[in-house]
Amino acid sequence: MEVAVRSTPALTTVAALALALAGLPAAADPSGPAEPDLRRFYTQKIKWAACKPDVQNLPEDVTKDKDVSCGKVTVPLDYAKPGRGTIGLALMRVKASGDKRGSLLVNFGGPGGAGVAGLAGAKKDFGYVGKGYDVVGFDPRGVGLSAPVSCGGQPEEEPEADADDAGAVLRQLRETAAKCAKESGPVLPYIGTVNVSRDLDVMRRALGDKKLNYLGFSYGTRLGAVYTAQFPKKVGRMVLDGVDTLTENVQEQGLVGAEGRQTALDNFLLWCTKNAGCVFGEDSRMARHAMVKLIDDLDAYPLKSMDGEEFTGQDVVSVLGTALYSRQAWPALSQALGALLADGDPRALLRMGGRPQGARTEVPEDNSDAALMAVNCADDPDRPGAERVEKEIGRLQTEFEEASPVFGRSMLLPVLLCFGRPAGTDYIRDDVRDVDAPKFLLVGTRGDPATPYRWTEETAERLGSSAVVLDNKGDGHTGYFGSKCVKDKVDAFLLYKQLPKNGSSCAAE
């Protein structure tokens, strides 16, 4: 609650200047509507301590590293009414190995990707840029250890899209939305990129930085773009890699994702059948049929472990969706599929999919999927009514299956699961454009299966002259981890402010 005080014009000017210098939001004009007082969030200090492997499920070499520590930042549940409650956001920091010039906040995508676990797994990849920055990963609100959302079940426990009984699907969708609201608690109505962007600014200040230095991958590019619109004067050195769309709705995004993943799978099977020992033989067309049959058979007759846990065709789809992001994973994927087909052994695939093997964790097993749906729905103002869903579910099912016989089903479900939730914000679609920020770098990869290169071009045009595009001619989702050329150019910009020319490129490697 804001406390009214009597002040002279001179004192008011001094106070406003002090707040501006501190990087805090200044108070509103007394003659206008009152702004919430956020100073207690912007003046907090982070208490860094050793990370806890039993809670965060982190590898031992990370938790024993003296340069790695974990902390928490407190943010309001509702920025418009900060008295409603708070959320603790989990952070991990890898201290700079050289002369520190600030912090570099990293978002690994999703939405629903946990940044603490993400940084633990990718710590070595930031060794060079880490000479000049404390590299900081964070779990966004609703994700990981930051008030995780859940729908109360396993990731695969989702309604089936059945065009023959649209009414039953609608009932399932309503039940799922109600279950998600119940299991997620008070954070669910306040999830979404607009609020996460505001959280970023609180983190920036808590880390002691006047400007935000940021590296966002995939969904993290949407988050970075929103930040440039909300806080243009606080943008430092920003890189957006694997550029997300700011305009296409959830349905359009799902179709693009299905098509991109199917293309990547077809390319993988073509590569596999040209190599000796490929479990699918030598005919890529037959291999595509064999992959569909494998998934259908496992959905109908799942494998069961000694403890009763099932491994289904949709589990295969989930692993494929991750493994196809990088060509470097293709040999391991080929071997894992070989073990599954030859011996009925899914363990290698499970390891590739990152499924926890009995590890302790405070994070619900379905958190990543639940957060992805919650954020995408919150960011999308389109929300079809029951009549439209009943009328169009058959057409949608056909459209997604034609886009991908393997990934169509899994990419349609998040679209349907927005039904029954409140309409999302129109801020991203309407207002994130023509930003007046310092120049920042967008990296688009031509063979990206998840974020097509045209999204890079469209987003750059939308954001205006501040956006500089680097064209990566290679394959895989994002460029930083798969292209030495991209990595060198990104690191040079972040460390030395050497920005490549707009439209310059990196050759496929």
Side-chain angles (χ1 to χ4, degrees):
M1 185 174 67
E2 194 165 9
V3 179
V5 295
R6 183 176 298 174
S7 61
T8 66
L11 287 175
T12 301
T13 302
V14 171
L17 179 60
L19 286 172
L21 290 173
L24 306 179
D29 185 329
S31 63
E35 291 285 341
D37 188 350
L38 301 173
R39 282 174 290 186
R40 68 188 177 103
F41 302 104
Y42 273 86
T43 55
Q44 65 185 299
K45 302 294 183 184
I46 303 172
K47 295 180 180 178
W48 297 104
C51 300
K52 299 177 181 178
D54 58 335
V55 173
Q56 291 147 329
N57 192 24
L58 300 175
E60 186 175 341
D61 65 313
V62 172
T63 57
K64 289 188 174 182
D65 189 332
K66 62 181 178 59
D67 292 324
V68 175
S69 53
C70 289
K72 184 177 74 172
V73 165
T74 301
V75 296
L77 192 67
D78 181 358
Y79 277 92
K81 296 181 179 178
R84 283 186 171 173
T86 61
I87 308 167
L89 304 180
L91 286 77
M92 173 188 280
R93 177 185 66 177
V94 181
K95 292 182 68 175
S97 59
D99 294 334
K100 176 183 171 182
R101 63 192 66 198
S103 303
L104 176 67
L105 275 156
V106 181
N107 182 283
F108 292 93
V116 171
L119 180 56
K123 184 169 69 76
K124 293 180 180 178
D125 293 298
F126 298 107
Y128 187 75
V129 77
K131 292 180 179 181
Y133 289 100
D134 288 345
V135 180
V136 179
F138 64 97
D139 291 353
R141 60 171 62 206
V143 176
L145 296 170
S146 300
V149 296
S150 171
C151 294
Q154 304 293 327
E156 62 270 20
E157 291 179 357
E158 297 172 339
E160 298 252 354
D162 184 359
D164 296 327
D165 193 354
V169 173
L170 285 171
R171 288 193 296 274
Q172 285 183 292
L173 294 174
R174 288 192 182 97
E175 290 169 4
T176 301
K179 192 174 183 181
C180 295
K182 178 183 176 182
E183 296 291 337
S184 296
V187 70
L188 190 60
Y190 305 103
I191 205 168
T193 304
V194 172
N195 276 332
V196 177
S197 173
R198 300 198 68 172
D199 294 342
L200 260 184
D201 199 55
V202 173
M203 284 186 268
R204 169 196 64 77
R205 183 58 191 160
L207 290 165
D209 293 328
K210 292 181 179 180
K211 300 290 181 79
L212 175 71
N213 302 306
Y214 176 80
L215 175 54
F217 300 99
S218 192
Y219 160 75
T221 68
R222 187 196 311 170
L223 174 57
V226 171
Y227 187 91
T228 65
Q230 287 185 312
F231 304 98
K233 302 306 179 187
K234 297 300 178 185
V235 174
R237 300 180 192 182
M238 177 174 287
V239 178
L240 310 180
D241 182 3
V243 182
D244 201 357
T245 180
L246 299 174
T247 57
E248 295 187 2
N249 61 27
V250 171
Q251 179 181 326
E252 292 165 338
Q253 291 179 49
L255 277 172
V256 167
E259 292 167 351
R261 285 165 176 78
Q262 186 64 46
T263 298
L265 176 60
D266 292 345
N267 290 339
F268 162 73
L269 292 173
L270 180 63
W271 167 87
C272 182
T273 53
K274 288 183 177 179
N275 286 275
C278 177
V279 71
F280 293 105
E282 299 178 356
D283 187 325
S284 61
R285 184 177 62 85
M286 295 299 293
R288 289 195 291 272
H289 290 303
M291 179 65 77
V292 173
K293 186 176 186 303
L294 169 66
I295 292 166
D296 288 344
D297 287 349
L298 283 173
D299 278 336
Y301 305 102
L303 296 173
K304 289 189 178 181
S305 64
M306 294 293 290
D307 59 5
E309 187 174 0
E310 291 187 341
F311 182 81
T312 70
Q314 294 311 301
D315 287 318
V316 176
V317 173
S318 178
V319 175
L320 289 174
T322 300
L324 292 171
Y325 276 179
S326 171
R327 286 185 73 101
Q328 292 150 324
W330 287 8
L333 177 61
S334 178
Q335 292 177 358
L337 287 168
L340 177 64
L341 281 164
D343 305 318
D345 184 356
R347 287 177 296 178
L349 275 175
L350 288 171
R351 286 192 294 271
M352 290 195 74
R355 179 178 289 188
Q357 303 294 312
R360 290 174 58 194
T361 177
E362 294 181 357
V363 182
E365 190 174 345
D366 71 329
N367 172 243
S368 179
D369 290 337
L372 182 145
M373 289 183 293
V375 173
N376 281 340
C377 295
D379 286 358
D380 187 356
D382 296 338
R383 194 70 79 247
E387 182 179 342
R388 181 177 162 195
V389 172
E390 282 190 293
K391 182 179 179 181
E392 296 189 359
I393 189 168
R395 178 188 63 79
L396 284 172
Q397 191 171 11
T398 300
E399 191 174 9
F400 273 76
E401 287 178 355
E402 287 177 351
S404 172
V406 172
F407 298 100
R409 172 183 166 186
S410 64
M411 299 305 292
L412 173 58
L413 279 171
V415 176
L416 295 177
L417 284 165
C418 285
F419 175 79
R421 298 173 186 254
T425 180
D426 56 9
Y427 175 81
I428 298 173
R429 192 176 296 177
D430 292 347
D431 297 326
V432 181
R433 60 170 70 243
D434 301 318
V435 297
D436 183 20
K439 287 189 180 295
F440 51 90
L441 183 61
L442 274 61
V443 181
T445 298
R446 292 284 177 169
D448 195 313
T451 51
Y453 186 78
R454 66 175 175 84
W455 283 357
T456 302
E457 296 176 313
E458 292 167 2
T459 299
E461 183 177 357
R462 181 180 177 83
L463 294 178
S465 59
S466 296
V468 174
V469 172
L470 175 62
D471 180 358
N472 177 27
K473 305 291 188 182
D475 293 306
H477 185 36
T478 74
Y480 188 80
F481 299 112
S483 166
K484 184 179 183 300
C485 171
V486 170
K487 192 173 192 302
D488 288 347
K489 290 182 183 297
V490 168
D491 287 349
F493 173 57
L494 291 172
L495 287 170
Y496 313 118
K497 214 171 184 177
Q498 295 176 0
L499 192 63
K501 290 182 179 180
N502 187 38
S504 60
S505 63
C506 283
E509 297 181 8

